[in-house]
Amino acid sequence: MTQKVTVPSIKAMKEKGEKITMLTAYDTPFARILDQAGVDILLVGDSAGSVVAGYPNTLPVTIDEMIYHTRAVIKGVQRAFVVIDMPFMSYQISIEDAKRNAGRMIKESGAEAVKLEGGVNMKEVIRAIVDIDIPVMGHIGLTPQSIHQMGGHKVQGKVEEQKQKIIADAVAVEEAGAFSVVMECIPTELAQEITEQLSIPTIGIGAGIHCDGQVLVIHDLLGLMGDFRPKFVKSYVNLQQVISQAVEEYMDEVRKKKFPTEEQSFHL
Ligand code: KIV
């Protein structure tokens, strides 16, 4: 095994100018493949709600569901750093509640850090969780748990007032003690400015080329989401097509009595 990825090694990658690779994972087989491929950070995102459970957005996802997925991911990982998303309403009610839920999620899932959405408004929550020695990854810009407030999945920070808010959010996340921050759907120039200003690594998604790292939802990268493809996604393969072809071949062989053969059969 090459060296385990840790909070200090992730921070050191920014200092050395090495790009950080991050992907989502929700189960053991995918986690094993991504870990063996050398992905630095595996995020058990609450995107599980949309891409695995078929919910319309991430809001219905529960703490128990996040723990279930993360336990499965942990079983496939040797090297990557594993981050668990705190789902909607698991950290917004009070600092005490946020600490209790973050602690439970780390304890019961085996993840090494939590991620939560928000900037200035979550500064004290992040600080309180970091103070009990749980590493926190921030998430600013387009924050999917605020989808109703934002009026949909829209690029954030295009107008000056929004831009200043996002810069303030980034600074607040760093000052609160987060070890890194995801920046989702913000203009490239803004992401570059924040990346240069912060000492912690920035991980972009729909935030251009200048971030310290990049994250994608694994189902998007593999072409498993059909025709739904946001502008910031690049699919490196069309697995939906590959799977459909394999399933059609299987059905054809079953119908034509070509499968199973002697090779797959048992005898008395
Ligand atoms: O839930 C998730 O997968 C995420 C990434 C898109 C950053 O938050």
Side-chain angles (χ1 to χ4, degrees):
M1 180 180 78
T2 41
Q3 233 168 18
K4 179 84 181 76
V5 181
T6 60
V7 166
S9 71
I10 292 165
K11 285 181 165 173
M13 286 178 81
K14 175 168 179 133
E15 282 152 31
K16 290 187 259 178
E18 289 171 16
K19 282 273 187 187
I20 300 161
T21 56
M22 172 160 135
L23 283 170
T24 65
Y26 315 102
D27 61 29
T28 310
F30 272 91
R32 186 177 297 122
I33 294 168
L34 304 185
D35 185 61
Q36 288 178 0
V39 177
D40 300 308
I41 304 177
L42 292 187
L43 168 67
V44 188
D46 58 357
S47 51
S50 319
V51 298
V52 181
Y55 301 150
N57 51 51
T58 59
L59 301 187
V61 177
T62 66
I63 294 179
D64 287 337
E65 286 169 335
M66 291 307 303
I67 290 172
Y68 167 82
H69 284 293
T70 309
R71 278 184 173 166
V73 165
I74 289 290
K75 292 200 180 86
V77 171
Q78 288 192 302
R79 173 188 172 271
F81 188 78
V82 179
V83 180
I84 184 171
D85 244 344
M86 295 194 73
F88 181 56
M89 293 315 284
S90 67
Y91 55 96
Q92 289 92 341
I93 292 172
S94 70
I95 288 181
E96 197 183 314
D97 200 44
K99 278 173 27 177
R100 187 177 298 111
N101 288 330
R104 179 182 163 215
M105 290 174 74
I106 292 291
K107 218 175 159 82
E108 294 184 23
S109 76
E112 295 158 297
V114 298
K115 176 167 84 57
L116 62 88
E117 298 179 8
V120 173
N121 61 336
M122 284 297 147
K123 188 170 180 179
E124 294 317 315
V125 171
I126 295 173
R127 199 194 300 279
I129 297 174
V130 174
D131 274 353
I132 53 170
D133 287 338
I134 295 175
V136 176
M137 177 180 275
H139 185 155
I140 60 171
L142 194 170
T143 45
Q145 291 175 18
S146 318
I147 181 178
H148 297 313
Q149 184 83 318
M150 289 179 167
H153 291 99
K154 294 181 180 158
V155 177
Q156 304 293 308
K158 279 181 141 181
V159 295
E160 190 57 29
E161 195 188 331
Q162 264 186 12
K163 185 182 156 195
Q164 292 311 324
K165 180 192 175 298
I166 292 171
I167 293 173
D169 283 341
V171 170
V173 167
E174 168 159 287
E175 283 178 356
F179 73 98
S180 62
V181 61
V182 167
M183 304 198 293
E184 181 164 351
C185 284
I186 62 170
T188 303
E189 300 78 8
L190 175 57
Q192 179 173 16
E193 190 178 328
I194 294 172
T195 300
E196 285 167 4
Q197 192 175 333
L198 296 192
S199 62
I200 56 170
T202 59
I203 316 270
I205 176 163
I209 193 69
H210 302 290
C211 299
D212 299 304
Q214 176 68 39
V215 57
L216 270 185
V217 168
I218 187 64
H219 288 56
D220 287 334
L221 181 155
L222 297 176
L224 280 167
M225 298 308 288
D227 293 334
F228 175 72
R229 189 176 309 158
K231 179 174 160 62
F232 59 83
V233 166
K234 179 172 174 185
S235 297
Y236 288 78
V237 62
N238 188 342
L239 266 198
Q240 176 160 331
Q241 207 171 55
V242 174
I243 292 171
S244 294
Q245 271 167 9
V247 171
E248 276 164 28
E249 209 178 313
Y250 160 77
M251 292 190 300
D252 191 55
E253 290 199 351
V254 168
R255 287 174 186 143
K256 290 181 177 152
K257 299 184 182 167
K258 286 186 178 169
F259 175 83
T261 66
E262 269 305 298
E263 208 183 322
Q264 292 94 23
S265 303
F266 302 101
H267 292 285
L268 289 173

